[in-house]
Each structure stands twice: as C-alpha cells, then as structure tokens.
Amino acid sequence: MNIKQPIKPLLLIALIAPSATYASSSAELFYGIFNDAYFWLFMLVAVLLALAYYSVKRAFDTIELAMRPDLAKKKAEALDAEAAAEDAEETGDALSRWYKWFAGLKPMSKEKDLQLDHEYDGIKELDNSLPPWWLYGFYVTIGIAVVYMVYFHILGGPLSSEEYQAEMERAEADVAAYFEKVGGMVDETNVTMVEEDRRLANGKDIFQTNCVACHAADGGGGVGPNLTDEYWIHGNTINDVFKVIKYGVVEKGMTPWRNQLSASDMQDVASYVLTLVGTEPANPKEPQGEKM
Ligand code: HEC
C-alpha cells in the first residue's frame, strides 16, 4: 500500500482546522490555540474521520479488484514492473538512489547472496551490513566525544561547576548594579527615614502583620516594649531602630527580620515605628530603657 497517500489530506485538515475555528491572524492566538481543548478535540475528530475515510476506501478498492479480474491483473503487472525496476538499481533519480544507499537498502534480487547458511524453524538471517545513516551517526558521536574531552578536560574549557560559579558571580554583580541604581543597598549605617505616604503605609501593613503580637496594634507594647514613649532600650535613631528590627534581640525575644523582610521593607517599618512616638496607645506598657 502507498502510505504517503493519507498524509496529504491530513495535512490539509490540520491547516484548515485552526483557521476555521479561529479566524484571527494574531500570532498570540495562533500559539494560544494549542492550549485549547476544542482545538485538540477538533483534530481528534478530523483524524478519526480521515482514518474512517481511508478504511472505507480500501475496502471498496479491494471489492473492486475482486469483482474485476482484468483490473487486478493490470495492477499485479504494475507491481511486478516496479519490483523489477527496483532490482535493476540504476533506476530512480539521484535523490532516491542516494536514499537507498543512505538507508542501506539492498535490492530483493541480492537477498540470496546475503543469506547466512543457517536456519531455525524456517527463519533465516540476512548478513546485512550496518546502514550508513546509523554508522555515520555513530562516528559523529565518537567525534563529538573526542572534541568534548579535549576541550573540557585537557584544554581547560569551563566545567559545569565553573560555569555555575561564573553565573552566580554575574548574578551578584547584577544585583549590586541594581541596588546601585535604585539608590544604594540600605543597611543600618546609611538608612534614612522615609517620608512618602506610600512607603509609610507599607510600613504600617508590615507592622500590622508581623509585629502586633508583641508590640500591640497601636505600638503600646506587650511582650515587647512600648514603641510610642520616649524610652528606648536600643536607641531612637532610625539607624538604631532599623538595626534592632534587622538583627533582633534573640535572647530577649525580639525576632530578627532580615531573612523575612527586604531591606527597604525594614526601612519602611522602622520609619513607621518612629511615627508612633508621641501617640497615645490604649494600654501603654511601663517605660523601659532610657529617656531620649
Ligand atoms: C515575638 C515577639 C516580637 C515580635 C514579633 C516583634 N518584636 Fe520587637 N521586640 C520584642 C522584644 C521582647 C523586644 C525587647 C528587646 C530587648 O529587651 O532588648 C523588642 C524590641 C523592639 C524594638 C526596640 C525597642 C527599644 O526600646 O529599643 C523595636 C524598634 C522593635 N522591637 C520593633 C519591632 C518590629 C518593627 C517588629 C515587626 C517587624 C517587631 N518588633 C516584632 C518582641 C517582638
């Protein structure tokens, strides 16, 4: 049977299907349809229809041949001629001759010469040599292996671990460059009060989520000290407050936040804490530390 035959109509259906369901030229939609269940449903139905068409057609062809011996004879002759031409080897254009060589195809007529002289239960073996496509593919992999070994293990090309190292260094440099651009990496030595409402609001959010359990929602204190009075254990400058938030006071129960909050978030919440000074909390804790 000629297997190329069903492929053409199938391709046609594959091309029509998307354009029929989605009459849009946008590239995004074009790729989007591959995620669409209806598209695949449509394709499935199309494939099933094509298969149904070809099995029916084949059935009819067989019936026709059975009913018309003259046709059957003609067809058999055509097949014989094809086989004879194939055996003659010189047939076909350059491309198909090359393909026969590349795939290692031997004409049927040469089969007798290739046959090995053993036989098991009627099964015989042909002494075919490896098909060139396989053999050359194998040689290419050997070549690649040699080049690989010489380049990476003798000439000192970058090994995976070194590439990883270099990539990490590049990423670190990128991060540093980024912080350089957005105004320097904030730490306890260079932190400043933020004044923008947006950032103070962010500081308040962070305080409400992370700090109220110990400092109370209004900063009046609880497990942790009152943040609204003038008494401070660790100092009342933005640098002091930032530092306490960043590193915590673990032995006294104040959590370090440097792994949970970004530097700019800690800056925001530290600034917010300082805006609480002078406000009047509902249940102020007694002063701790020194008056400042
Ligand atoms: C698990 C309880 C707890 C949580 C949660 C907590 N703190 Fe504290 N915090 C404390 C304790 C206890 C102290 C007192 C430390 C000391 O005695 O040295 C303290 C101290 C402080 C101080 C220094 C006060 C001073 O008098 O110097 C600041 C500022 C502060 N916390 C801010 C925060 C912020 C902001 C958060 C949220 C991001 C937070 N804390 C979350 C328990 C907590």
Side-chain angles (χ1 to χ4, degrees):
M1 197 198 60
N2 184 354
I3 45 162
K4 266 188 219 137
Q5 228 178 22
I7 291 175
K8 269 187 231 159
L10 273 184
L11 274 181
L12 202 68
I13 290 168
L15 284 177
I16 292 171
S19 47
T21 19
Y22 301 86
S24 163
S25 60
S26 137
E28 221 168 276
L29 257 187
F30 179 76
Y31 291 111
I33 66 165
F34 293 112
N35 296 324
D36 192 321
Y38 280 109
F39 170 73
W40 294 108
L41 199 67
F42 189 99
M43 293 303 285
L44 183 71
V45 172
V47 168
L48 289 180
L49 274 180
L51 288 177
Y53 168 75
Y54 278 102
S55 40
V56 171
K57 186 173 181 299
R58 276 193 69 189
F60 271 105
D61 285 353
T62 315
I63 293 171
E64 193 183 27
L65 285 183
M67 288 172 65
R68 295 185 49 190
D70 54 323
L71 262 188
K73 208 174 143 208
K74 241 186 233 160
K75 193 159 180 199
E77 278 166 14
L79 277 180
D80 282 350
E82 212 174 276
E86 215 169 78
D87 285 357
E89 225 184 341
E90 299 308 63
T91 57
D93 48 59
L95 191 69
S96 64
R97 277 207 305 278
W98 173 83
Y99 177 74
K100 263 182 216 150
W101 166 81
F102 186 61
L105 300 177
K106 292 271 167 358
M108 297 276 262
S109 54
K110 298 242 171 94
E111 225 161 66
K112 273 181 222 68
D113 311 335
L114 288 170
Q115 211 154 293
L116 293 173
D117 56 0
H118 56 226
E119 177 183 332
Y120 302 100
D121 297 338
I123 299 172
K124 296 172 187 166
E125 195 185 344
L126 294 181
D127 185 20
N128 272 315
S129 46
L130 290 167
W133 68 263
W134 193 93
L135 203 59
Y136 288 116
F138 184 57
Y139 291 153
V140 167
T141 60
I142 294 177
I144 290 175
V146 170
V147 171
Y148 185 97
M149 209 190 79
V150 169
Y151 179 67
F152 285 105
H153 294 285
I154 296 176
L155 298 180
L159 299 176
S160 302
S161 57
E162 291 162 9
E163 272 177 357
Y164 172 78
Q165 204 63 40
E167 218 167 279
M168 293 315 271
E169 272 160 28
R170 216 174 314 129
E172 246 161 56
D174 284 351
V175 170
Y178 171 77
F179 278 112
E180 196 74 43
K181 216 173 82 193
V182 298
M185 185 99 72
V186 180
D187 66 20
E188 55 277 15
T189 64
N190 63 15
V191 60
T192 53
M193 275 291 276
V194 297
E195 256 127 49
E196 301 101 300
D197 292 343
R198 185 179 55 80
R199 296 198 57 181
L200 286 175
N202 180 42
K204 184 175 181 179
D205 278 352
I206 292 165
F207 190 84
Q208 297 301 331
T209 336
N210 302 302
C211 322
V212 293
C214 300
H215 291 284
D218 53 13
V223 176
N226 183 343
L227 299 174
T228 67
D229 60 12
E230 294 173 308
Y231 292 83
W232 294 86
I233 306 169
H234 299 281
N236 69 345
T237 65
I238 181 75
N239 309 66
D240 297 332
V241 173
F242 183 94
K243 193 172 170 186
V244 174
I245 295 171
K246 183 173 177 183
Y247 299 105
V249 189
V250 184
E251 64 281 4
K252 294 283 178 55
M254 165 65 186
T255 328
W257 293 94
R258 64 178 185 282
N259 294 327
Q260 278 99 308
L261 300 175
S262 71
S264 87
D265 278 349
M266 289 189 292
Q267 184 182 19
D268 293 356
V269 73
S271 303
Y272 172 72
V273 163
L274 287 175
T275 66
L276 294 176
V277 177
T279 59
E280 298 196 338
N283 298 303
K285 196 180 178 187
E286 78 287 353
Q288 286 168 278
E290 284 163 41
K291 191 170 188 297
M292 309 220 166

